[in-house]
Amino acid sequence: VPDVITREWIASQPSPYRYLCEYLAEKTYRRGDKVLKQMPVGWQKIRLICHLEAEVESNGFDGYFGNMTLDDRTIAEVPDALEALRQMDVTELARIVDEALTIWQNFVKFQLSERRRNKKATGNAVRRPRRAREGLDHIEEGLDPLYDRFSEKQVTWVRQIDRYIKLHPDEFAHDK
């Protein structure tokens, strides 16, 4: 990973995205996220997409969305990651993430309705866990194929990000 990212360096790299992820991780590790405020606009996109990729690879979509869901049930960062993907013309990955997000949001709604139902009725204790398991099975059935598509298309969407970076080097050049 270079000490600085110049337009020339970007032009010389066949696949700069991975290096930019490493560069960003190194910069934020040493100086924290505040370093992003001093970097060109493209770096926020890189942070969002690198984070999405790392989380989904490590924890699946349910882990990524679970980690991004706040106490008030809003989902932090994911809408911005989707927008970054669309801006970088990585539309197929954006569609996959959007589909997964819809499944996740429906699961969260299901969990809330089950909690309300459990508060109202203390009977039927045997049926409640089965319904919760069915909800969990449903989310896994929906998210597993999307994770497979995410993985299968990874090379393609990384190339799309690389192309965007090379076409817009000013968004990523960082020589500080």
Side-chain angles (χ1 to χ4, degrees), residues 18-174:
R18 296 278 183 232
Y19 291 111
L20 296 186
C21 289
E22 290 178 39
Y23 179 85
L24 184 62
E26 186 178 304
K27 292 290 182 188
T28 56
Y29 176 77
R30 283 195 264 134
R31 295 192 245 161
D33 281 344
K34 66 181 176 212
V35 73
L36 279 169
K37 291 181 174 78
Q38 302 162 357
M39 298 175 84
V41 65
W43 285 96
Q44 184 63 21
K45 294 174 191 173
I46 292 296
R47 186 192 72 75
L48 291 163
I49 295 170
C50 291
H51 187 233
L52 178 146
E53 179 183 21
E55 283 280 326
V56 172
E57 283 181 347
S58 297
N59 306 309
F61 281 112
D62 53 334
Y64 172 59
F65 296 134
N67 289 338
M68 296 294 104
T69 301
L70 305 176
D71 290 340
D72 67 357
R73 312 266 182 313
T74 59
I75 298 179
E77 192 174 293
V78 178
D80 294 333
L82 282 166
E83 182 59 28
L85 290 168
R86 289 181 185 114
Q87 287 174 4
M88 296 176 97
D89 203 27
V90 189
T91 54
E92 187 171 5
L93 178 58
R95 278 193 298 274
I96 291 168
V97 174
D98 206 24
E99 275 183 63
L101 179 60
T102 299
I103 292 169
W104 174 258
Q105 288 171 325
N106 288 337
F107 177 67
V108 170
K109 288 176 191 172
F110 173 81
Q111 284 182 317
L112 288 173
S113 70
E114 281 301 294
R115 284 185 195 146
R116 284 188 209 110
R117 196 175 291 183
N118 286 337
K119 283 182 182 178
K120 286 182 182 177
T122 56
N124 294 334
V126 175
R127 290 181 61 211
R128 300 288 175 237
R130 189 183 86 226
R131 283 184 53 82
R133 261 193 323 277
E134 288 168 359
L136 190 57
D137 289 345
H138 175 72
I139 189 173
E140 288 173 359
E141 287 172 12
L143 292 180
D144 285 350
L146 293 173
Y147 177 80
D148 293 343
R149 283 177 41 209
F150 170 90
S151 298
E152 290 165 6
K153 299 292 184 179
Q154 196 166 20
V155 170
T156 301
W157 59 260
V158 167
R159 283 188 192 135
Q160 291 170 320
I161 294 170
D162 285 334
R163 184 173 47 247
Y164 182 90
I165 292 166
K166 291 172 98 39
L167 289 172
H168 302 90
D170 290 339
E171 288 187 31
F172 306 98
H174 185 254

